[in-house]
Amino acid sequence: MQIRKAERKDVPLILSFIRGIAKYEKLENEVQATEELLDEWLFQKGIAEVVFAVEDGVETGFALFFHNYSTFTGRAGIYLEDLYVKPEYRGKGYGKALFMYLAKTAVERKCGRMEWVCLNWNTPSIAFYRSMGAVSMDDWKTYRLTSDKLAALVDREK
């Protein structure tokens, strides 16, 4: 097994993994990403990074991550947006290999932490993350403004 960084030619593959995780999370109708958007934000703007777990030339899983910043630690951190392994490859160590790659990357880059969110019902992933030493941040709630809400907020303030 190898971990490899995504290249521009991988944009269709990245989108297929995004659709795979969305299907798993029962959120297929929420995917707005296109190949053009992924190319722009991942490769033109360099806003996030993608790595693949590869076995015998087959991409079995992927992770998409980017840097955030913690004022408390005074350092950047890694925010894991997506970690997904194709169903037929689960339980074989691909998810752990991707996770460990990100942990090592965080250490090498002297990051203060690594964070992510996980759906409450996703007990296999919760168990996996706990087995890696992660703790749930139960005192914190995630809030979101989608693009339509952001536009409405800005318009309201004009």
Side-chain angles (χ1 to χ4, degrees):
M1 179 190 336
Q2 297 176 316
I3 303 294
R4 77 166 179 87
K5 293 181 179 182
E7 301 172 24
R8 182 173 246 144
K9 67 179 176 63
D10 292 315
V11 166
L13 181 60
I14 295 167
L15 185 55
S16 74
F17 272 102
I18 291 169
R19 288 184 176 137
I21 195 169
K23 182 177 181 180
Y24 176 77
E25 293 178 342
K26 301 171 184 73
L27 298 169
E28 288 174 280
N29 60 332
E30 294 192 25
V31 176
Q32 297 176 18
T34 64
E35 290 182 15
E36 294 76 20
L37 285 170
L38 292 173
D39 182 74
E40 176 185 355
W41 287 90
L42 297 177
F43 296 101
Q44 292 175 41
K45 294 182 178 181
I47 201 77
E49 300 174 58
V50 174
V51 292
F52 297 105
V54 182
E55 183 82 41
D56 297 324
V58 176
E59 288 81 4
T60 60
F62 97 124
L64 189 148
F65 64 100
F66 53 89
H67 285 282
N68 56 13
Y69 185 80
S70 167
T71 56
F72 287 15
T73 68
R75 298 174 183 217
I78 284 184
Y79 186 84
L80 172 59
E81 178 68 23
D82 287 328
L83 174 66
Y84 179 73
V85 175
K86 292 177 181 177
E88 63 269 30
Y89 295 104
R90 291 185 189 147
K92 299 179 180 175
Y94 299 108
K96 182 176 182 179
L98 287 163
F99 193 87
M100 290 304 301
Y101 176 89
L102 295 182
K104 289 175 186 172
T105 300
V107 169
E108 288 168 3
R109 295 179 185 181
K110 299 183 180 357
C111 293
R113 58 174 75 148
M114 188 166 101
E115 295 179 315
W116 61 94
V117 296
C118 184
L119 291 166
N120 290 333
W121 59 260
N122 192 347
T123 54
S125 292
I126 292 168
F128 168 74
Y129 295 136
R130 285 188 176 150
S131 77
M132 303 302 282
V135 294
S136 177
M137 303 291 293
D138 294 335
D139 292 342
W140 297 80
K141 267 206 183 298
T142 302
Y143 289 87
R144 175 178 293 163
L145 286 172
T146 56
S147 59
D148 58 329
K149 301 282 187 191
L150 286 166
L153 177 62
V154 170
D155 287 344
R156 187 177 79 197
E157 293 299 311
K158 285 183 180 177

